[in-house]
């Protein structure tokens, strides 16, 4: 059973720090899966206590999504009412709590249908994501099984990765960003890996509990055509209802020209989604040292301390590099597992398990 005090503390952080609810504001609480209710209830209480004039609660379920996608016609899939847009525009903040009952619910759904619905609802998503928002994966039995942990272990892990001093983390991240602003070229060397890329002139962003929980990364996008070499991502990942134990990519002038994986068909299908799927839209460092192992749940794994991740596909508007795609697939590279070295502008700054350049020693 989830620790009630931890649940209340998390609800307080999300309400009063992440989305910073103010008196008279309107908030939407969205639960994906009914297991999210305990946290939704605490968030509802905190939002009312903070003075929100309206708190709307909505639930959805992937089983209903599967029924819709398998049976809806084209008109139904593309439908988006003006009323939906007006309602979305009325909110000041949004919280999304994911507690899916089955991570493979949509495995056999035609991916083209999923993309069609996503495209149709993008205007609604764009409206909501211009508001203050926060996303959290609630620990339930399904996600515990997915992470290969007991439910009690999983609950403790999830809350311990989220209940950090995020203002303190923000100071550390800003210090890291200030250093990375001066870096032009990055090289990653390790087992089956020798990759170079440029981040010259790119904008770096901090992630300190405002939009995601858990959090803990700094990110940018690489210069689109600058990525060259080979890299073997070594943290298992789950994307589009498929599992990947590892993914190895060869790149030339930013484009993936060859790919290998234990799930060969899956990786090739994703990379064939559209032209942008073979280019990177994100480059980031994970900084949450409470996360030391993979869970196959990206919101956690991409924040793993002493790791980097790179997302194939669409870049973020905050730090663009011109790449667009229906795909945004984060692939994670744990330094220690690859006995990796990092080089910034020709100087070795990281070796295997620690930062060896004194400028970055505070990250150890």
């Amino acid at each position: 059973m989830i620790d009630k005090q931890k649940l209340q503390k998390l609800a307080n952080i999300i309400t009063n720090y992440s989305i910073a609810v103010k008196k008279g504001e309107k908030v939407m609480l969205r639960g994906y899966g009914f297991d999210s209710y305990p946290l939704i209830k605490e968030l509802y209480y905190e939002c009312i206590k903070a003075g929100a004039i309206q708190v709307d609660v909505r639930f959805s379920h992937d089983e209903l999504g599967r029924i819709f996608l398998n049976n809806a016609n084209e008109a139904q899939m593309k439908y988006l009412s003006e009323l939906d847009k007006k309602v979305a525009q009325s909110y000041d903040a949004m919280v999304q709590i994911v507690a899916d009952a089955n991570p493979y619910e949509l495995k056999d759904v035609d991916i083209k249908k999923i993309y069609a619905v996503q495209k149709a609802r993008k205007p609604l998503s764009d409206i909501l994501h211009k508001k203050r928002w926060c996303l959290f994966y609630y620990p339930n039995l399904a996600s515990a099984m997915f992470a290969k942990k007991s439910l009690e272990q999983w609950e403790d892990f999830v809350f311990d990765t989220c209940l950090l001093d995020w203002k303190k983390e923000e100071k550390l991240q800003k210090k890291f960003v200030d250093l990375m602003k001066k870096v032009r070229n990055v090289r990653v060397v390790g087992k089956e890996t020798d990759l170079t890329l440029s981040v010259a002139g790119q904008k770096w962003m901090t992630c300190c509990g405002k939009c995601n929980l858990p959090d803990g990364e700094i990110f940018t996008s690489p210069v689109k055509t600058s990525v060259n070499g080979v890299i073997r991502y070594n943290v298992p990942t789950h994307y589009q209802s498929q599992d990947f134990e590892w993914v190895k990519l060869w790149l030339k002038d930013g484009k993936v020209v060859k790919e290998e994986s234990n799930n060969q068909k899956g990786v090739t299908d994703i990379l064939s989604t559209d032209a942008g799927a073979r280019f990177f839209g994100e480059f980031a460092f994970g900084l949450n040292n409470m996360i030391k192992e993979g869970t196959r749940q990206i919101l956690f794994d991409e924040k793993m301390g002493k790791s980097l991740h790179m997302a194939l596909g669409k870049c973020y508007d905050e730090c663009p590099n011109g790449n667009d795609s229906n795909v945004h697939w984060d692939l994670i590279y744990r330094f220690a597992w690859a006995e990796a070295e990092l080089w910034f502008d020709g100087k070795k700054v990281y070796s295997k398990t620690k930062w060896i350049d004194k400028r970055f020693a505070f990250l150890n």
Side-chain angles (χ1 to χ4, degrees):
M1 181 177 291
I2 284 181
D3 186 315
K4 179 76 170 179
Q5 289 185 330
K6 288 185 177 181
L7 194 66
Q8 291 171 334
K9 186 175 180 181
L10 181 63
N12 181 283
I13 288 174
I14 293 174
T15 304
N16 298 300
Y17 172 75
S18 299
I19 61 169
V21 175
K22 300 176 182 64
K23 185 177 179 180
E25 291 191 322
K26 299 176 182 178
V27 181
M28 183 174 77
L29 305 179
R30 182 75 182 268
Y32 296 90
F34 304 127
D35 287 346
S36 61
Y37 177 72
L39 182 55
I40 293 287
K41 181 179 72 172
E42 294 298 334
L43 287 166
Y44 185 86
Y45 168 77
E46 289 291 341
C47 288
I48 294 297
K49 192 169 72 169
I53 198 70
Q54 178 180 337
V55 184
D56 287 345
V57 178
R58 298 188 182 187
F59 287 92
S60 61
H61 199 285
D62 268 351
E63 187 175 19
L64 299 178
R66 176 176 54 78
I67 292 170
F68 177 80
L69 289 163
N70 282 337
N71 296 280
N73 59 38
E74 185 176 358
Q76 289 171 313
M77 288 191 290
K78 290 183 176 180
Y79 180 73
L80 181 64
S81 74
E82 289 301 315
L83 179 60
D84 285 333
K85 294 180 184 179
K86 289 180 180 179
V87 171
Q89 288 167 346
S90 74
Y91 295 119
D92 297 290
M94 170 183 67
V95 181
Q96 300 175 91
I97 308 299
V98 179
D100 292 330
N102 179 4
Y104 299 102
E105 190 69 54
L106 303 181
K107 182 173 176 59
D108 295 325
V109 172
D110 184 348
I111 192 65
K112 292 180 181 178
K113 290 186 176 182
I114 295 176
Y115 287 149
V117 172
Q118 288 176 343
K119 183 178 180 180
R121 296 180 182 175
K122 188 176 185 298
L124 194 66
S125 177
D126 288 346
I127 292 169
L128 289 167
H129 283 90
K130 287 177 182 176
K131 313 289 183 177
R132 303 192 304 278
W133 60 273
C134 185
L135 172 67
F136 174 72
Y137 277 29
Y138 188 84
N140 62 358
L141 185 59
S143 57
M145 293 171 66
F146 204 50
K148 300 181 180 180
K149 292 180 180 290
S150 71
L151 181 56
E152 184 177 359
Q153 286 177 317
W154 180 236
E155 289 170 349
D156 287 340
F157 171 84
V158 169
F159 282 93
D160 288 346
T161 62
C162 296
L163 299 178
L164 304 181
D165 183 340
W166 291 110
K167 291 182 179 179
K168 181 179 178 181
E169 294 298 312
E170 184 176 21
K171 290 180 181 179
L172 179 145
Q173 291 179 22
K174 285 182 175 179
K175 186 176 179 181
F176 193 9
V177 163
D178 287 341
L179 288 168
M180 291 309 300
K181 286 178 182 177
K182 302 172 184 177
V183 175
R184 296 180 59 82
N185 298 299
V186 176
R187 184 183 179 193
V188 187
V189 181
K191 292 179 181 177
E192 299 181 61
T193 297
D194 192 346
L195 192 76
T196 59
L197 59 99
S198 172
V199 291
Q202 298 299 93
K203 185 177 181 181
W204 286 88
M205 301 295 296
T206 61
C207 296
C208 43
K210 292 289 186 180
C211 295
N212 286 336
L213 284 170
D215 217 340
E217 66 171 291
I218 65 167
F219 72 91
T220 188
S221 58
V223 174
K224 183 178 175 180
T225 58
S226 72
V227 190
N228 284 282
V230 59
I231 183 167
R232 188 182 193 274
Y233 297 97
N234 54 15
V235 177
T237 183
H238 179 84
Y239 187 69
Q240 293 183 355
S241 295
Q242 298 193 69
D243 291 324
F244 302 85
E245 292 301 312
W246 55 271
V247 173
K248 188 174 182 180
L249 303 177
W250 286 259
L251 293 105
K252 181 174 175 58
D253 298 331
K255 183 178 181 179
V256 177
V257 294
K258 180 182 177 182
E259 66 275 2
E260 288 183 358
S261 174
N262 66 297
N263 182 352
Q264 186 66 38
K265 183 180 185 302
V267 70
T268 300
D269 285 349
I270 292 169
L271 288 169
S272 302
T273 300
D274 50 40
R278 286 188 174 269
F279 290 84
F280 284 108
E282 181 186 6
F283 177 78
F285 291 101
L287 300 172
N288 191 326
N289 289 322
M290 296 300 294
I291 303 173
K292 298 180 173 65
E293 57 186 313
T295 68
R296 291 192 296 155
Q297 291 161 84
I298 191 58
L299 200 63
F300 298 92
D301 296 352
E302 68 177 356
K303 315 301 190 326
M304 186 185 297
K306 294 180 179 173
S307 73
L308 65 79
H309 61 273
M310 298 173 69
L312 287 164
K314 185 174 178 59
C315 64
Y316 288 113
D317 292 340
E318 299 94 326
C319 47
N321 71 345
N323 199 41
D324 193 20
S325 173
N326 279 314
V327 169
H328 184 89
W329 183 18
D330 291 286
L331 296 166
I332 304 134
Y333 184 82
R334 175 77 164 168
F335 298 145
W337 298 348
E339 298 183 355
E341 296 177 346
L342 282 178
W343 300 70
F344 292 163
D345 296 328
K347 181 178 181 179
K348 188 191 295 188
V349 296
Y350 186 96
S351 180
K352 296 181 180 178
T353 60
K354 65 181 180 179
W355 294 87
I356 58 173
D357 187 314
K358 63 181 181 181
R359 295 172 299 167
F360 298 92
F362 67 95
L363 295 169
N364 289 323

